């Protein structure tokens, strides 16, 4: 795929506006998620003018899978402080989209905030950028889009990382180990 993909609710603290601002006219940007704030959606549409940005507000499971299949990179640009000044102390509780992308072998460019550094290993499985840094986001997405061997290497490492740390087998092993430690005290 060649698409730059965002998946998530279209809310200011999720940062899709940062992605749209960073997007070059040559990028194919797809935003998959519900629009829950009409003012914000209007702002996103205004930012998208002149760029190749597609909104998909009602994607079912098949459409979501197709979006992942077309993605060259997934962007998770979450923000602790959004464009309107609102603060969200933990902008990503788990980073499920980053895990889903990694499981599919898709590199992720994410904000260096909340849980995302646990999922995205900078320079290994994707890239971390300062929250809200449009230039850094553009630079890292450009790097992934323009370098097929890099994209492949990051994607393969992402799949291994997610499988080792976030699979059901890995979660069960951590839970069993925790129970054993508690019971042995």
């Amino acid at each position: 795929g060649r698409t730059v993909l965002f998946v998530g609710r279209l809310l200011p603290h999720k940062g899709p506006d940062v992605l749209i601002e960073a997007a070059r006219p040559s990028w194919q940007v797809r935003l998959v998620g519900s629009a829950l704030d009409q003012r914000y959606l209007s702002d996103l549409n205004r930012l998208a003018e002149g760029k190749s940005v597609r909104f998909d507000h009602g994607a079912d499971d098949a459409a979501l899978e197709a979006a992942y299949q077309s993605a060259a990179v997934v962007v998770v640009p979450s923000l602790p402080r959004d464009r309107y000044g609102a603060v969200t102390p933990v902008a990503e509780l788990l980073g499920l989209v980053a895990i889903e992308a990694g499981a599919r072998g898709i590199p992720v460019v994410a904000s260096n905030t909340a849980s995302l550094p646990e999922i995205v290993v900078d320079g290994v499985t994707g890239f971390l950028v300062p929250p809200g840094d449009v230039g850094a986001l553009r630079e890292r997405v450009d790097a992934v889009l323009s370098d097929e061997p890099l994209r492949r290497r990051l994607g393969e490492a992402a799949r291994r990382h997610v499988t080792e740390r976030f699979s059901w087998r890995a979660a069960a092993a951590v839970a069993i180990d925790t129970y054993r430690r508690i019971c042995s005290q």
Side-chain angles (χ1 to χ4, degrees), residues 58-128:
D60 61 13
D61 289 344
L64 179 59
E65 185 57 36
Y68 276 117
Q69 292 299 320
S70 72
V73 60
V74 170
V75 177
V76 185
S78 299
L79 302 164
R81 180 181 299 275
D82 69 32
R83 72 184 299 111
Y84 305 116
V87 174
T88 304
V90 182
E92 283 295 332
L93 296 176
L94 175 61
L96 184 59
V97 169
I99 293 171
E100 289 176 348
R104 289 172 172 84
I106 306 167
V108 176
V109 176
S111 295
N112 190 5
T113 189
S115 65
L116 294 171
E118 296 175 46
I119 301 162
V120 179
V121 181
D122 190 41
V124 177
T125 67
F127 293 109
L128 295 170

Side-chain angles (χ1 to χ4, degrees), residues 137-152:
L137 181 65
R138 180 181 300 120
E139 178 183 310
R140 293 306 193 183
V141 170
D142 272 342
V144 173
L145 291 176
S146 66
D147 187 338
E148 179 66 32
L150 172 66
R151 182 169 54 248
R152 212 176 4 247

